[in-house]
PDB file of all heavy atoms in Angstrom:
ATOM      1  N   LYS B 302     -17.247 -25.713 -16.226  1.00 95.00           N
ATOM      2  CA  LYS B 302     -17.990 -24.856 -17.151  1.00 95.00           C
ATOM      3  C   LYS B 302     -17.376 -25.017 -18.537  1.00 95.00           C
ATOM      4  O   LYS B 302     -16.193 -24.784 -18.735  1.00 95.00           O
ATOM      5  CB  LYS B 302     -17.902 -23.390 -16.700  1.00 95.00           C
ATOM      6  CG  LYS B 302     -18.763 -22.473 -17.554  1.00 95.00           C
ATOM      7  CD  LYS B 302     -18.887 -21.100 -16.922  1.00 95.00           C
ATOM      8  CE  LYS B 302     -19.735 -20.158 -17.745  1.00 95.00           C
ATOM      9  NZ  LYS B 302     -21.168 -20.501 -17.776  1.00 95.00           N
ATOM     10  N   ASN B 303     -18.213 -25.486 -19.464  1.00 93.00           N
ATOM     11  CA  ASN B 303     -17.765 -25.667 -20.829  1.00 93.00           C
ATOM     12  C   ASN B 303     -17.928 -24.356 -21.585  1.00 93.00           C
ATOM     13  O   ASN B 303     -19.032 -23.855 -21.733  1.00 93.00           O
ATOM     14  CB  ASN B 303     -18.585 -26.783 -21.485  1.00 93.00           C
ATOM     15  CG  ASN B 303     -18.022 -27.176 -22.830  1.00 93.00           C
ATOM     16  OD1 ASN B 303     -17.617 -26.311 -23.621  1.00 93.00           O
ATOM     17  ND2 ASN B 303     -17.979 -28.466 -23.073  1.00 93.00           N
ATOM     18  N   LEU B 304     -16.830 -23.802 -22.031  1.00 89.00           N
ATOM     19  CA  LEU B 304     -16.872 -22.480 -22.670  1.00 89.00           C
ATOM     20  C   LEU B 304     -17.590 -22.503 -24.000  1.00 89.00           C
ATOM     21  O   LEU B 304     -18.193 -21.514 -24.397  1.00 89.00           O
ATOM     22  CB  LEU B 304     -15.450 -21.931 -22.847  1.00 89.00           C
ATOM     23  CG  LEU B 304     -14.714 -21.656 -21.541  1.00 89.00           C
ATOM     24  CD1 LEU B 304     -13.327 -21.145 -21.836  1.00 89.00           C
ATOM     25  CD2 LEU B 304     -15.464 -20.636 -20.695  1.00 89.00           C
ATOM     26  N   LEU B 305     -17.568 -23.648 -24.674  1.00 83.00           N
ATOM     27  CA  LEU B 305     -18.288 -23.711 -25.960  1.00 83.00           C
ATOM     28  C   LEU B 305     -19.791 -23.667 -25.720  1.00 83.00           C
ATOM     29  O   LEU B 305     -20.514 -22.976 -26.413  1.00 83.00           O
ATOM     30  CB  LEU B 305     -17.896 -24.983 -26.724  1.00 83.00           C
ATOM     31  CG  LEU B 305     -16.443 -25.025 -27.168  1.00 83.00           C
ATOM     32  CD1 LEU B 305     -16.136 -26.322 -27.887  1.00 83.00           C
ATOM     33  CD2 LEU B 305     -16.115 -23.844 -28.086  1.00 83.00           C
ATOM     34  N   PHE B 306     -20.265 -24.370 -24.682  1.00 71.00           N
ATOM     35  CA  PHE B 306     -21.701 -24.332 -24.334  1.00 71.00           C
ATOM     36  C   PHE B 306     -22.120 -22.905 -24.038  1.00 71.00           C
ATOM     37  O   PHE B 306     -23.150 -22.427 -24.495  1.00 71.00           O
ATOM     38  CB  PHE B 306     -21.993 -25.149 -23.067  1.00 71.00           C
ATOM     39  CG  PHE B 306     -21.962 -26.621 -23.254  1.00 71.00           C
ATOM     40  CD1 PHE B 306     -22.068 -27.474 -22.147  1.00 71.00           C
ATOM     41  CD2 PHE B 306     -21.846 -27.207 -24.510  1.00 71.00           C
ATOM     42  CE1 PHE B 306     -22.026 -28.845 -22.298  1.00 71.00           C
ATOM     43  CE2 PHE B 306     -21.807 -28.573 -24.670  1.00 71.00           C
ATOM     44  CZ  PHE B 306     -21.893 -29.403 -23.561  1.00 71.00           C
ATOM     45  N   SER B 307     -21.289 -22.217 -23.225  1.00 65.00           N
ATOM     46  CA  SER B 307     -21.733 -20.885 -22.800  1.00 65.00           C
ATOM     47  C   SER B 307     -21.725 -19.903 -23.989  1.00 65.00           C
ATOM     48  O   SER B 307     -22.522 -18.999 -24.034  1.00 65.00           O
ATOM     49  CB  SER B 307     -20.910 -20.355 -21.622  1.00 65.00           C
ATOM     50  OG  SER B 307     -19.565 -20.358 -21.916  1.00 65.00           O
ATOM     51  N   LEU B 308     -20.854 -20.154 -24.967  1.00 59.00           N
ATOM     52  CA  LEU B 308     -20.862 -19.312 -26.168  1.00 59.00           C
ATOM     53  C   LEU B 308     -22.184 -19.495 -26.905  1.00 59.00           C
ATOM     54  O   LEU B 308     -22.823 -18.532 -27.332  1.00 59.00           O
ATOM     55  CB  LEU B 308     -19.720 -19.723 -27.112  1.00 59.00           C
ATOM     56  CG  LEU B 308     -18.408 -18.982 -26.954  1.00 59.00           C
ATOM     57  CD1 LEU B 308     -17.392 -19.539 -27.946  1.00 59.00           C
ATOM     58  CD2 LEU B 308     -18.610 -17.503 -27.202  1.00 59.00           C
ATOM     59  N   ILE B 309     -22.600 -20.783 -27.035  1.00 57.00           N
ATOM     60  CA  ILE B 309     -23.853 -21.082 -27.743  1.00 57.00           C
ATOM     61  C   ILE B 309     -25.016 -20.439 -26.990  1.00 57.00           C
ATOM     62  O   ILE B 309     -25.888 -19.807 -27.579  1.00 57.00           O
ATOM     63  CB  ILE B 309     -24.042 -22.611 -27.864  1.00 57.00           C
ATOM     64  CG1 ILE B 309     -22.945 -23.184 -28.755  1.00 57.00           C
ATOM     65  CG2 ILE B 309     -25.414 -22.944 -28.431  1.00 57.00           C
ATOM     66  CD1 ILE B 309     -22.799 -24.683 -28.695  1.00 57.00           C
ATOM     67  N   ASP B 310     -25.026 -20.564 -25.645  1.00 55.00           N
ATOM     68  CA  ASP B 310     -26.096 -19.979 -24.842  1.00 55.00           C
ATOM     69  C   ASP B 310     -26.220 -18.482 -25.083  1.00 55.00           C
ATOM     70  O   ASP B 310     -27.297 -17.947 -25.244  1.00 55.00           O
ATOM     71  CB  ASP B 310     -25.813 -20.180 -23.349  1.00 55.00           C
ATOM     72  CG  ASP B 310     -26.159 -21.584 -22.909  1.00 55.00           C
ATOM     73  OD1 ASP B 310     -26.762 -22.303 -23.727  1.00 55.00           O
ATOM     74  OD2 ASP B 310     -25.811 -21.969 -21.779  1.00 55.00           O
ATOM     75  N   ARG B 311     -25.052 -17.830 -25.149  1.00 54.00           N
ATOM     76  CA  ARG B 311     -25.067 -16.369 -25.308  1.00 54.00           C
ATOM     77  C   ARG B 311     -25.613 -15.993 -26.684  1.00 54.00           C
ATOM     78  O   ARG B 311     -26.317 -15.013 -26.825  1.00 54.00           O
ATOM     79  CB  ARG B 311     -23.685 -15.775 -25.135  1.00 54.00           C
ATOM     80  CG  ARG B 311     -23.120 -16.050 -23.812  1.00 54.00           C
ATOM     81  CD  ARG B 311     -22.701 -14.771 -23.085  1.00 54.00           C
ATOM     82  NE  ARG B 311     -22.484 -15.108 -21.700  1.00 54.00           N
ATOM     83  CZ  ARG B 311     -23.189 -14.628 -20.717  1.00 54.00           C
ATOM     84  NH1 ARG B 311     -24.148 -13.771 -20.944  1.00 54.00           N
ATOM     85  NH2 ARG B 311     -22.968 -14.995 -19.487  1.00 54.00           N
ATOM     86  N   GLU B 312     -25.245 -16.803 -27.698  1.00 52.00           N
ATOM     87  CA  GLU B 312     -25.726 -16.500 -29.043  1.00 52.00           C
ATOM     88  C   GLU B 312     -27.227 -16.631 -29.116  1.00 52.00           C
ATOM     89  O   GLU B 312     -27.910 -15.866 -29.779  1.00 52.00           O
ATOM     90  CB  GLU B 312     -25.050 -17.421 -30.064  1.00 52.00           C
ATOM     91  CG  GLU B 312     -23.713 -16.844 -30.512  1.00 52.00           C
ATOM     92  CD  GLU B 312     -22.884 -17.824 -31.294  1.00 52.00           C
ATOM     93  OE1 GLU B 312     -23.438 -18.825 -31.775  1.00 52.00           O
ATOM     94  OE2 GLU B 312     -21.661 -17.595 -31.408  1.00 52.00           O
ATOM     95  N   ARG B 313     -27.763 -17.597 -28.368  1.00 46.00           N
ATOM     96  CA  ARG B 313     -29.222 -17.806 -28.339  1.00 46.00           C
ATOM     97  C   ARG B 313     -29.935 -16.607 -27.745  1.00 46.00           C
ATOM     98  O   ARG B 313     -30.990 -16.224 -28.209  1.00 46.00           O
ATOM     99  CB  ARG B 313     -29.531 -19.049 -27.512  1.00 46.00           C
ATOM    100  CG  ARG B 313     -30.319 -20.079 -28.302  1.00 46.00           C
ATOM    101  CD  ARG B 313     -30.610 -21.256 -27.410  1.00 46.00           C
ATOM    102  NE  ARG B 313     -29.781 -22.387 -27.772  1.00 46.00           N
ATOM    103  CZ  ARG B 313     -29.364 -23.280 -26.901  1.00 46.00           C
ATOM    104  NH1 ARG B 313     -29.658 -23.167 -25.612  1.00 46.00           N
ATOM    105  NH2 ARG B 313     -28.672 -24.306 -27.292  1.00 46.00           N
TER     106      ARG B 313
END
Side-chain angles (χ1 to χ4, degrees):
Chain B
K302 186 168 179 70
N303 189 318
L304 295 179
L305 294 179
F306 286 173
S307 56
L308 268 179
I309 295 165
D310 281 351
R311 299 236 166 244
E312 274 168 17
R313 237 181 254 149

